[in-house]
Amino acid sequence: MTLLEISGLSLAIRGTPILRDVSLDVAPGQIVAITGESGSGKSMTALSVMQLLPDGAETTGTIVLDGTDLMTLSEGEMCDRRGNDIGMVFQEPMTALNPVQTIGAQVAETILIHGAAGRAEASQRARAVLDRVGLEAFPLDRYPHELSGGQRQRVVIAMAIALRPKLLIADEPTTALDVTTQAQILDLLRGLVDDFGMGMLMITHDLAVVADMADRIVVMKDGEVVEQGETQALLHGMTHPYTRMLFEASDHVVDLPEASEGAPMLRVDEVIRDYPTPRPHLFAPHGRFRAVDGVSFIMNAGDRLGLVGESGCGKSTLTRAILGLEQIQGGRIELDGQPVFTGKRPNLAVRRKMNVVFQDPYGSFNPRHRVARLVAEPLHLLDNPPSGADRARAVADVLEAVHLRPSDADKYIHEFSGGQRQRIAIARALINRPELVVLDEAVSALDVSVRARILDLLVDLCGQFSLSFLFISHDLSVVRRITDRVLVMQAGKIVEEGETEAVFTAPQHPYTRALIAAAPVLPKIEALRA
Amino acid sequence: MRWNRNLVLGAVLTGLFVVGALISFVWTPSDHTVLDIAGKLKRPGDGNLLGTDHFGRDILTMIMVGARTSIAVALVAVGIGMLAGVPLGLTAAARHGGWLDEVIMRGNDLIFAFPSLVIAILITAVFGASAVNAIIAIGIFNIPVFARLTRSGALSLWGREFIMAARVAGKGAARISAEHILPNIANLLIVQGTIQFSLGILAEAGLSYVGLGAQPPTPSWGRMLADAQTLVSIAPHLALIPGLAIILTVLGLNLMGDGLRDLLDPRLRERSV
Amino acid sequence: MFRYALRRLSSLIISLAVASLVIFLVVEVAPGDPASYMLGINAQPDTVAALRAELGLDVPRYQRYFDWVSGLMRLDFGTSYTYRTPVAEMISDRMRVSLPLAVYALTLSTLIAFPAGIYAASRRGKAGDTAVIGLSQLGVAVPNFWFAMMMVLVFAINLRWFSAGGFPGWEKGFWGGMKALTLPAISLALPQAAILARVMRSSLLDMLDEDFMRTARAKGLSRRHALWKHGVRNALIPVLTILGLQFSFLLAGGIIIEQVFFLPGLGRLVFQSISQRDLIVVESVVMLLVFAVICVNFLVDLAYAAVDPRLRTRT
């Protein structure tokens, strides 16, 4: 018996084809995961089921839910189904809730809008649903801004399941969340599916989550289903090369060259970084939030050091302090014995010895400058920056080092894909031949296949430039593959430090253990084959 | 392509008056300083294309010469607003959260408490009425408009990673503001500039209507309307024509602003839901 | 909430203090001495000196500033140089026309703009939306005093529904007063309504892009329902800012409109005083207008907090 049956679904938006002939089934109590890289059309498939597509969308095919073809329903009839028969959970919990309405009112609205209960009863039922999703401690009159991201996602789930829909659609429900929160939300979703016997259509790019959660897997690429099947069968079979490529890229093993034993280079000593918080009352002094609390570590030349932690742990603040972008309130940060901050100004002599690659390949470049100017920007730090042909050669050299063409220097940044942009960001970071490159979530925004190639590039550069890097990430699996040593940060403090493999195989601190336990693990392909 | 239509229509309307004003420097249908009481209050088409006023002056000439006053006052006022407001906004954004930011923003709020007409009244009461004082009054009021816009545009950029990259490359706040921030908010400023230009034309007309703007014999659209007021029942064209001139110019500038906004805004994405 | 209000209040007081200083200084640098101006060129020096003493002009500047400000706080605005009557009395007479006019116009403007903006946003891209955009585009371009003249031409001179100007006074009855203010209020309100409707529309359309609107639709709310229940209140936040600004435009715009309709309001008082160099009156009226604008901005800040719970907890 099937609950949802999509067959021959094709979608075009203003003439541009988005989906081609998508067919898949969801049975009651079953979790079906659609996975694929960005642009595969997985989210559009979900929105087609909800009939919440952008303006100008034209669809063909059938989407049968419980015997009714949703494509034939009028908008009014569809409104009756949404929230009642189908619930949906979105990716971004921080913006998915109305900021000016209480969480109680927003959950009760699902019940009220479908006339399932009167005001008083709806409010009682909202309470019960919020209890069910683990928000027992939160009164109904709280506003979204008073809740954390994970808690808000629970509210969104509560709204979606308040009327016990037959089908729950979850579009990247944990992508914006920390790994420990992700584990809790996934547990909650699985529990709800079991309790209510709902079917769940889950959209995610994270294959580890897919392998962990799904009963069935649907792999999509460029708007088409390339392979689908029962989870175990699919993982063991992987008949389509794209599926195999995806899984291999997700667990891409790099061949990190042997680390050279270098002299101490970066010395971080008892660093404290405070932020002022609003005054508790009008005449009181500002409060203080200690984002980095007495952090010390030493990085040797040639080190590939990882820094992991969840959002808000202070790793970004520490990064900015190391780069000399912000002043610290205590301790010292030195590179080659020179402080990164002297007096009130950043020390330019030190700064030219390091550079950074940021997360967002789209926000990292001034859209109005050509690549040559973008890449050459750090040359500004040199006492005698090269000009003319020398400068062009320097730019061409680094572009070639990151496997781009020297002629790319004349293009604008919008002509490049996300992966290519990240290569350009790396080229920019390398142009001064820095001793230290800080990689701040540098591969986190990339699709797995692109990410694998960037990791290969980093390994390649380690050989070419005898690179030392500080690799900051929330993604434990990547840090495990690309670093020799790792620091684990929690609430502004380094709670564990050691050889990467040692830390991952035998974590000492309870927080490290919790992190590693929470991270979903991709089954090893070799193991599946065996 | 809707922006095209707005932009073209707006540019044509605005261009019409700008060209008229420019032509008036070398040629006008007649001399607006010569009074001809015998030929007063002629209807449009009766010898004069747009008729004559109560002193027998050709209205087309008055409109053309009056366009000079309106455009010059509004343009200089926008210039004052931009020249002072944009650097203030950039500074406030670069010093976000600091005392300088606070002082600049409080100063802006304070100017906002004096609408341009109130500033004009104050200035006129003290120094007398003139076109220059009208420019100052409108110009001062434009400063916080541009300062706020610049600050908010700049602030959203300061959080972006390419600014961080520039800071890592050792560039200071002034250089980053000039090299990275200003070019990326220029669109916003141009669009706001056309809007403030149109508001300036309206404000100038209002000020000269109540006698706080350009003084006789300099013709201005606002004073033409003031002169027409008592004659509106006998000669409605005296009020209609300068009014239409103001409306068409302002409409043209606003359409141009809308067109430019659509043309320059890279975020022309489709709205869903 | 209380702390937020207190913070806003303290910034209001600072703004008022600075504004009063600015106004005082600008008037101080005015060329010419009011006493000699009032007495004419042929006045005897000792008569002028006596008048200066009477007007309180013989004390040091800082002393006069503090006298003026402390007077303002006691609602004692000084004595008119020309009429020798208390300025407070003159102003309160005129306020009985100007304030009702501004409130009347603001009410009209809001009543027209909100439905028009919401209607246009809910019919985005359709004929109704295009009509509202077109009308507001035109409304923004029309100078209110010209619009007022046209209304006089049509409704007073041709149709004779209203009188062309003047004000009978509230003593003659409330409705008579309201009738006299109707044309002025409409001509003030319509151009402002055009601006407000545009802001309301675009602010609502911005809301349509928000994630929480999609969430609402996923719950089963229709497009229109989602717009009303989730869009409007969020869209009010930018609209409130414009509404606050409009009040100051209406007060100032009223000064011009009063000229068109010969209304005995603050505007006419100001222009008379300017031509008679009765600077103390000008100074007081300007201070009053600025005071009103600053107070309205304070109220807008409080209204923000009422609309947006995030402001209530954030200090």
Side-chain angles (χ1 to χ4, degrees):
Chain A
M1 176 199 149
T2 54
L3 171 66
L4 175 75
E5 187 182 347
I6 301 178
S7 53
L9 175 68
S10 293
L11 164 69
I13 296 177
R14 293 178 201 283
T16 312
I18 306 289
L19 297 177
R20 261 189 309 272
D21 197 24
V22 172
S23 300
L24 59 93
D25 297 342
V26 182
Q30 190 185 38
I31 300 178
V32 175
I34 306 182
T35 190
E37 296 186 293
S38 42
S40 62
K42 52 191 194 300
S43 287
M44 281 299 165
T45 308
L47 289 175
S48 301
V49 177
M50 289 301 277
Q51 299 275 296
L52 283 178
L53 290 164
D55 290 343
E58 288 162 50
T59 44
T60 55
T62 57
I63 301 172
V64 178
L65 178 73
D66 219 16
T68 315
D69 184 0
L70 300 181
M71 304 271 269
T72 62
L73 294 185
S74 71
E75 174 59 23
E77 289 168 323
M78 204 52 222
C79 281
D80 293 338
R81 309 275 159 149
R82 292 187 203 114
N84 205 356
D85 292 341
I86 326 168
M88 184 154 179
V89 177
F90 300 95
Q91 172 172 354
E92 195 35 83
M94 302 311 273
T95 52
L97 294 171
N98 183 346
V100 305
Q101 235 181 37
T102 62
I103 58 172
Q106 295 190 54
V107 175
E109 189 176 32
T110 308
I111 301 163
L112 286 169
I113 196 81
H114 294 287
R119 225 158 250 290
E121 198 200 329
S123 161
Q124 274 173 16
R125 285 175 64 176
R127 178 70 269 161
V129 177
L130 284 171
D131 290 349
R132 174 64 188 85
V133 299
L135 294 175
E136 298 88 350
F138 290 86
L140 294 176
D141 62 356
R142 286 296 168 86
Y143 285 96
H145 71 274
E146 298 170 292
L147 275 59
S148 72
Q151 290 158 352
R152 291 189 209 191
Q153 195 64 312
R154 288 172 191 269
V155 176
V156 176
I157 293 171
M159 294 188 323
I161 60 149
L163 291 174
R164 298 206 171 202
K166 300 181 189 110
L167 176 70
L168 182 66
I169 300 176
D171 186 2
E172 303 274 5
T174 57
T175 304
L177 303 175
D178 280 325
V179 50
T180 48
T181 319
Q182 162 168 296
Q184 293 160 8
I185 296 289
L186 292 177
D187 273 350
L188 172 65
L189 288 172
R190 197 183 291 116
L192 290 169
V193 168
D194 291 345
D195 280 9
F196 296 177
M198 287 188 297
M200 179 157 113
L201 186 63
M202 185 173 175
I203 317 298
T204 179
H205 70 283
D206 188 333
L207 290 172
V209 170
V210 172
D212 198 28
M213 287 281 288
D215 301 315
R216 263 182 87 78
I217 299 178
V218 179
V219 182
M220 288 184 72
K221 177 178 189 282
D222 299 331
E224 285 178 274
V225 175
V226 295
E227 184 170 3
Q228 62 176 310
E230 299 297 320
T231 301
Q232 287 312 313
L234 185 129
L235 290 179
H236 285 95
M238 281 200 226
T239 48
H240 197 280
Y242 181 73
T243 314
R244 212 171 306 134
M245 188 284 288
L246 265 189
F247 272 83
E248 275 164 7
S250 298
D251 200 21
H252 184 67
V253 180
V254 293
D255 191 13
L256 205 58
E258 203 56 29
S260 53
E261 282 296 312
M265 177 181 61
L266 176 71
R267 188 186 294 272
V268 174
D269 191 23
E270 289 296 318
V271 167
I272 287 171
R273 176 77 179 93
D274 287 332
Y275 286 108
T277 55
R279 299 165 200 271
H281 60 91
L282 206 55
F283 302 103
H286 282 293
R288 251 162 222 283
F289 171 68
R290 187 148 286 186
V292 176
D293 189 2
V295 165
S296 304
F297 63 89
I298 292 176
M299 201 178 158
N300 296 329
D303 261 0
R304 276 90 43 134
L305 180 64
L307 175 62
V308 297
E310 296 185 294
S311 54
C313 73
K315 58 187 194 299
S316 307
T317 309
L318 180 61
T319 311
R320 285 197 295 272
I322 291 172
L323 290 169
L325 294 176
E326 285 177 11
Q327 231 180 323
I328 51 178
Q329 279 67 52
R332 287 175 72 78
I333 302 176
E334 288 177 351
L335 188 67
D336 291 342
Q338 297 259 327
V340 296
F341 232 84
T342 42
K344 292 213 142 200
R345 300 202 155 271
N347 185 346
L348 296 190
V350 170
R351 200 176 264 189
R352 75 176 61 133
K353 294 181 186 168
M354 55 187 176
N355 217 313
V356 62
V357 178
F358 292 110
Q359 171 174 2
D360 180 10
Y362 294 89
S364 291
F365 302 97
N366 186 338
R368 289 169 190 279
H369 292 172
R370 285 175 203 275
V371 168
R373 188 168 174 192
L374 294 170
V375 168
E377 188 163 45
L379 292 175
H380 172 77
L381 284 162
L382 302 181
D383 293 326
N384 295 305
S387 58
D390 288 343
R391 184 185 156 104
R393 195 170 317 119
V395 170
D397 284 351
V398 282
L399 285 178
E400 282 187 321
V402 298
H403 309 309
L404 290 169
R405 285 191 303 275
S407 60
D408 288 334
D410 297 327
K411 293 185 184 164
Y412 285 98
I413 197 69
H414 64 81
E415 298 172 54
F416 297 91
S417 69
Q420 287 172 319
R421 288 178 200 211
Q422 218 54 343
R423 285 170 193 270
I424 295 171
I426 294 170
R428 174 171 65 189
L430 291 176
I431 195 160
N432 278 348
R433 308 290 150 130
E435 294 172 16
L436 169 66
V437 173
V438 177
L439 300 159
D440 186 359
E441 303 275 6
V443 297
S444 302
L446 304 174
D447 275 328
V448 281
S449 55
V450 180
R451 185 173 78 191
R453 289 198 289 276
I454 297 288
L455 291 178
D456 282 340
L457 172 66
L458 285 176
V459 169
D460 177 31
L461 294 172
C462 279
Q464 279 189 56
F465 290 81
S466 64
L467 204 60
S468 313
F469 61 73
L470 177 61
F471 193 97
I472 296 137
S473 182
H474 68 281
D475 187 335
L476 299 175
S477 70
V478 175
V479 171
R480 184 171 192 172
R481 283 176 270 150
I482 194 83
T483 64
D484 311 308
R485 273 197 321 131
V486 67
L487 308 167
V488 181
M489 198 166 177
Q490 183 200 16
K493 293 188 166 139
I494 303 284
V495 295
E496 184 157 359
E497 177 177 2
E499 299 288 321
T500 304
E501 261 321 297
V503 169
F504 274 87
T505 42
Q508 299 302 311
H509 193 275
Y511 178 70
T512 316
R513 261 179 258 153
L515 268 187
I516 292 171
V521 183
L522 196 67
K524 289 275 172 216
I525 295 177
E526 306 85 59
L528 291 170
R529 285 285 150 84
Chain B
M1 294 303 257
R2 234 185 101 222
W3 60 263
N4 234 339
R5 204 182 58 194
N6 277 347
L7 191 62
V8 170
L9 190 62
V12 166
L13 279 175
T14 313
L16 192 71
F17 287 95
V18 172
V19 169
L22 290 177
I23 291 177
S24 76
F25 282 105
V26 290
W27 176 84
T28 50
S30 70
D31 187 347
H32 70 276
T33 55
V34 176
L35 310 185
D36 171 21
I37 303 298
K40 70 173 182 179
L41 296 181
K42 278 201 219 155
R43 299 273 156 173
D46 185 11
N48 302 59
L49 187 62
L50 296 178
T52 58
D53 72 357
H54 56 298
F55 289 128
R57 293 174 294 188
D58 176 52
I59 289 184
L60 179 60
T61 308
M62 299 279 286
I63 291 286
M64 283 170 70
V65 182
R68 291 197 319 226
T69 318
S70 286
I71 291 170
V73 169
L75 206 58
V76 177
V78 170
I80 292 175
M82 276 197 181
L83 284 179
V86 172
L88 282 174
L90 288 174
T91 312
R95 298 273 173 270
H96 177 53
W99 63 269
L100 200 55
D101 181 23
E102 185 73 11
V103 167
I104 291 173
M105 292 324 286
R106 290 286 145 247
N108 274 335
D109 291 348
L110 193 70
I111 297 179
F112 259 133
F114 293 80
S116 60
L117 188 72
V118 175
I119 301 177
I121 289 172
L122 206 54
I123 295 177
T124 318
V126 174
F127 302 105
S130 73
V132 174
N133 288 342
I135 289 176
I136 294 172
I138 303 168
I140 289 180
F141 190 69
N142 276 339
I143 294 173
V145 173
F146 284 103
R148 282 186 179 191
L149 182 74
T150 306
R151 179 175 176 272
S152 70
L155 273 185
S156 69
L157 288 175
W158 270 102
R160 295 274 292 278
E161 290 179 333
F162 73 89
I163 302 291
M164 294 270 264
R167 291 176 63 202
V168 171
K171 289 185 174 163
R175 180 133 185 211
I176 289 176
S177 293
E179 208 170 284
H180 291 296
I181 307 254
L182 199 54
N184 280 297
I185 59 170
N187 292 347
L188 279 179
L189 294 175
I190 291 169
V191 170
Q192 192 65 38
T194 63
I195 293 170
Q196 293 309 118
F197 192 178
S198 76
L199 290 178
I201 299 233
L202 280 175
E204 191 275 337
L207 290 178
S208 19
Y209 173 77
V210 288
L212 299 182
Q215 295 301 300
T218 315
S220 84
W221 295 346
R223 231 195 22 268
M224 290 170 75
L225 286 172
D227 292 343
Q229 192 175 353
T230 47
L231 303 164
V232 77
S233 52
I234 351 171
H237 71 280
L238 289 190
L240 272 173
I241 292 165
L244 283 176
I246 296 170
I247 292 171
L248 291 178
T249 315
V250 173
L251 194 64
L253 283 165
N254 284 336
L255 287 175
M256 221 162 83
D258 281 5
L260 280 175
R261 189 200 326 261
D262 292 353
L263 181 65
L264 299 175
D265 189 352
R267 297 172 299 115
L268 266 187
R269 59 210 153 110
E270 296 305 321
R271 293 166 191 272
S272 55
V273 178
Chain C
M1 178 73 196
F2 177 71
R3 199 184 308 158
Y4 173 82
L6 213 62
R7 260 175 59 101
R8 293 282 121 205
L9 194 66
S10 62
S11 100
L12 172 139
I13 290 165
I14 294 169
S15 301
L16 282 177
V18 179
S20 67
L21 196 62
V22 170
I23 294 170
F24 181 79
L25 288 177
V26 170
V27 173
E28 273 299 298
V29 299
D33 176 51
S36 24
Y37 186 85
M38 284 160 66
L39 294 170
I41 324 164
N42 302 323
Q44 298 297 315
D46 50 332
T47 337
V48 175
L51 184 63
R52 283 179 60 88
E54 191 191 328
L55 295 175
L57 294 173
D58 55 344
V59 295
R61 275 191 182 165
Y62 71 89
Q63 179 71 43
R64 264 189 296 153
Y65 173 69
F66 285 110
D67 288 349
W68 179 58
V69 171
S70 63
L72 289 179
M73 286 187 217
R74 297 189 312 268
L75 292 178
D76 171 10
F77 293 6
T79 308
S80 156
Y81 299 155
T82 342
Y83 296 103
R84 301 294 182 91
T85 49
V87 177
E89 227 167 77
M90 300 168 72
I91 288 181
S92 74
D93 270 1
R94 305 305 184 102
M95 284 292 279
R96 298 174 48 167
V97 176
S98 294
L99 197 60
L101 177 59
V103 174
Y104 194 177
L106 193 67
T107 313
L108 278 180
S109 157
T110 314
L111 286 180
I112 298 166
F114 275 39
I118 295 171
Y119 171 77
S122 68
R123 314 274 311 162
R124 178 164 52 97
K126 302 194 177 125
D129 183 25
T130 315
V132 172
I133 296 175
L135 279 176
S136 73
Q137 193 69 273
L138 193 64
V140 171
V142 173
N144 54 19
F145 60 93
W146 179 80
F147 188 57
M149 287 166 66
M150 293 300 116
M151 299 239 293
V152 169
L153 184 63
V154 175
F155 295 105
I157 296 175
N158 291 338
L159 296 174
R160 299 188 177 277
W161 290 356
F162 295 90
S163 68
F167 187 70
W170 295 109
E171 302 77 26
K172 301 270 165 62
F174 176 74
W175 294 112
M178 287 300 275
K179 193 176 171 192
L181 292 184
T182 296
L183 284 188
I186 292 176
S187 40
L188 267 177
L190 279 186
Q192 296 297 318
I195 298 173
L196 203 57
R198 283 182 75 156
V199 175
M200 186 82 209
R201 172 184 177 274
S202 70
S203 169
L204 264 176
L205 288 182
D206 284 346
M207 288 306 134
L208 290 183
D209 280 347
E210 292 286 339
D211 282 353
F212 63 79
M213 293 295 278
R214 196 183 49 188
T215 312
R217 298 274 285 132
K219 280 196 243 181
L221 273 76
S222 68
R223 204 179 272 255
R224 184 162 303 208
H225 219 109
L227 187 75
W228 274 101
K229 284 205 66 181
H230 295 276
V232 172
R233 184 147 166 221
N234 278 288
L236 272 184
I237 296 167
V239 169
L240 275 174
T241 313
I242 304 297
L243 209 58
L245 274 182
Q246 291 213 327
F247 185 75
S248 66
F249 280 117
L250 287 175
L251 266 182
I255 291 177
I256 295 182
I257 291 296
E258 283 167 15
Q259 296 295 103
V260 183
F261 291 95
F262 306 103
L263 293 176
L266 283 181
R268 293 190 68 77
L269 179 65
V270 161
F271 292 118
Q272 272 164 19
S273 312
I274 289 179
S275 60
Q276 292 157 342
R277 294 204 66 72
D278 199 346
L279 290 184
I280 189 154
V281 177
V282 178
E283 192 178 45
S284 303
V285 173
V286 167
M287 188 63 217
L288 192 74
L289 289 175
V290 170
F291 176 76
V293 172
I294 291 177
C295 285
V296 167
N297 285 340
F298 173 68
L299 292 178
V300 167
D301 282 341
L302 292 190
Y304 277 151
V307 172
D308 191 341
R310 286 165 292 188
L311 285 176
R312 279 178 241 153
T313 39
R314 204 188 300 153
T315 44

